[in-house]
């Protein structure tokens, strides 16, 4: 995308509103992005360079915003396997494979979803002034399934705001040890960092409010196959919540290691075999629903369990005396 200028005229109902808020309201730019443009001297008010993001403006005031071309990022585009289930000019929906990290970080500069997207997306307009895809929400490395990615600021802002307003519906399929005491079950428990291990999360007072809603889809011999809907999206939320209520995700070696060893009799043998067959956490983002940030169309995507988890589920079903669903 080439450098461009955007002209904004302050409306009657905006008398006294802040400069950054007005520009963000009239453009596809986020407020944080507008503030950076003001700091860079790229916003003019009635021809004069703006210096204060909080400057109040009167109706009829003319504002000009110069938006530079997106800067290249210091990341390598990689030709990696990528299951794109939908794509248009504004966004794409990806069915992420287990084992793939979403965003580059120390120790994971290559082989991530972002590296793959930089190679795949040919009409990337950039987000936040950087030539990169806009990751709206994330999945853990060993969680498979659907996530939406923005190609430009307008789509990223729209999807991010929809996520904040809880207008994006995310439904996960999870296998959890034992049997829920009730179904559906709402888990409303704040989640925060574990002070003893910053890579782990835990239910804690003073954390951020987190709400998950779990429903039993299939009842196996010593585990449940669940549908879990997120009302909020905290780091490791489903895994932490299910472990908190005594039903950790099968195959979760962080929040539920060795849980199956506490069972006795036939359930113990069955659980030991389920654990052996489950090579990673049994957690999959199965459904994703949102309004398209440009057209307003309601979008619904579904992704079946990948082969590894589908095989585990088939075995658990057959040995629990229930038919497949």
């Amino acid at each position: 995308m080439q450098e461009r200028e955007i002209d904004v005229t302050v409306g009657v109902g905006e008398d006294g509103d802040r400069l950054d808020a007005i520009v963000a309201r009239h453009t596809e730019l986020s407020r944080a992005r507008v503030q950076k443009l003001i700091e860079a001297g790229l916003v003019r008010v009635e021809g004069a360079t703006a210096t204060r993001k909080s400057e109040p403006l009167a109706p009829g005031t003319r504002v000009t915003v110069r938006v530079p071309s997106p800067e290249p990022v210091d990341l390598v585009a990689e030709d990696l396997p990528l299951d794109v289930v939908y794509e248009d000019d504004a966004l794409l929906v990806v069915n992420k494979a287990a084992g793939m990290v979403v965003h580059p970080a120390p120790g994971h500069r290559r082989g991530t979803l972002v590296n793959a997207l930089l190679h795949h997306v040919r009409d990337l307009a950039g987000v936040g002034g950087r030539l990169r895809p806009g990751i709206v929400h994330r999945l853990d490395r060993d969680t498979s399934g659907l996530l939406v990615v923005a190609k430009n600021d307008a789509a990223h802002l729209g999807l991010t705001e929809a996520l904040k307003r809880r207008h994006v519906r995310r439904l996960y399929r999870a296998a959890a040890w034992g049997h829920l005491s009730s179904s559906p079950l709402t888990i409303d428990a704040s989640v925060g960092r574990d002070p003893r291990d910053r890579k782990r999360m835990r239910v804690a007072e003073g954390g951020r409010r987190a709400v998950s809603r779990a429903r039993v889809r299939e009842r196996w011999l010593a585990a449940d196959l669940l549908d879990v809907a997120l009302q909020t999206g905290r780091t490791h939320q489903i895994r932490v919540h299910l472990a908190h209520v005594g039903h950790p995700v099968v195959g979760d070696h962080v929040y539920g290691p060795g849980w199956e060893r506490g069972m006795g009799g036939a359930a113990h043998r069955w659980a030991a075999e389920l654990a052996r067959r489950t090579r990673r956490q049994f957690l999959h983002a199965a459904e994703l629903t949102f309004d398209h940030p440009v057209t307003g169309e309601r979008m619904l995507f579904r992704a079946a369990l990948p082969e590894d988890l589908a095989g585990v589920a088939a075995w658990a079903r057959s040995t629990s005396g229930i038919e497949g669903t």
Side-chain angles (χ1 to χ4, degrees):
M1 179 179 288
Q2 300 298 315
E3 181 176 304
R4 59 201 171 101
E5 282 196 351
I6 303 174
D7 294 318
V8 172
T9 300
V10 180
V12 174
E14 298 175 306
D15 187 15
D17 285 359
R18 292 167 54 118
L19 170 61
D20 57 354
I22 290 173
V23 173
R25 190 179 303 138
H26 284 267
T27 68
E28 80 283 2
L29 304 173
S30 69
R31 193 159 170 175
R33 174 71 171 135
V34 173
Q35 291 172 356
K36 289 181 180 178
L37 293 175
I38 294 171
E39 292 171 2
L42 299 177
V43 177
R44 299 193 304 275
V45 177
E46 293 292 346
T49 301
T51 57
R52 290 193 300 130
K53 61 187 178 184
S54 61
E55 179 181 353
L57 300 181
T61 301
R62 293 171 299 171
V63 180
T64 303
V65 183
R66 183 158 64 90
V67 183
S69 302
E71 300 174 4
V73 294
D74 184 23
L75 293 172
V76 178
E78 296 182 79
D79 186 6
L80 303 171
L82 195 61
D83 182 8
V84 177
V85 299
Y86 175 82
E87 183 175 6
D88 61 24
D89 293 341
L91 57 86
L92 66 163
V93 176
V94 176
N95 184 13
K96 186 187 83 69
M100 175 178 273
V101 174
V102 170
H103 201 279
H108 295 285
R109 297 294 297 175
R110 303 286 292 267
T112 73
L113 177 64
V114 168
N115 295 110
L117 289 168
L118 287 172
H119 178 273
H120 172 84
V121 180
R122 301 302 181 184
D123 58 344
L124 186 64
V127 172
R130 306 281 288 179
L131 195 61
R132 60 180 176 87
I135 302 298
V136 179
H137 59 109
R138 301 188 185 192
L139 298 176
D140 297 340
R141 179 181 63 184
D142 290 327
T143 299
S144 54
L146 298 168
L147 52 79
V148 60
V149 181
K151 291 185 177 181
N152 54 50
D153 274 318
H156 190 254
L157 179 61
L159 289 167
T160 301
E161 287 300 313
L163 199 64
K164 288 180 181 177
R165 295 190 177 101
R166 299 173 183 170
H167 294 167
V168 177
R169 182 174 183 269
R170 291 166 289 169
L171 185 70
Y172 290 72
R173 204 134 295 149
W177 288 116
H179 301 302
L180 294 191
S181 57
S182 62
S183 176
L185 174 68
T186 297
I187 308 169
D188 187 342
S190 297
V191 172
R193 292 278 174 192
D194 187 333
R196 295 168 298 181
D197 183 350
R198 301 297 294 174
K199 294 182 179 179
R200 288 171 55 103
M201 310 298 289
R202 67 171 186 171
V203 167
E205 292 186 13
R208 301 178 71 188
R209 189 185 182 209
V211 182
S212 306
R213 306 188 191 283
R215 180 181 67 85
V216 175
R217 185 180 181 89
E218 295 176 9
R219 181 148 289 190
W220 299 338
L221 184 62
D224 286 339
L225 181 65
L226 307 175
D227 282 341
V228 185
L230 289 182
Q231 184 173 319
T232 56
R234 311 306 179 204
T235 301
H236 299 177
Q237 178 174 316
I238 292 174
R239 298 163 62 196
V240 171
H241 270 177
L242 289 176
H244 176 66
V245 297
H247 302 285
V249 172
V250 174
D252 189 340
H253 300 297
V254 175
Y255 300 105
W259 194 92
E260 70 283 358
R261 290 196 289 270
M263 296 184 177
H268 173 79
R269 293 190 293 273
W270 185 92
E273 181 61 18
L274 180 66
R276 187 189 70 80
R277 289 171 176 267
T278 309
R279 302 302 179 87
R280 51 106 171 178
Q281 61 202 31
F282 197 121
L283 188 58
H284 175 70
E287 292 187 16
L288 180 62
T289 310
F290 58 89
D291 292 335
H292 195 285
V294 177
T295 68
E297 178 186 356
R298 193 64 172 168
M299 315 287 284
L300 168 61
F301 301 94
R302 293 189 175 96
L305 287 175
E307 186 176 345
D308 61 339
L309 299 187
V312 171
W315 176 85
R317 212 174 278 129
S318 66
T319 54
S320 300
I322 61 176
E323 297 182 358
T325 58

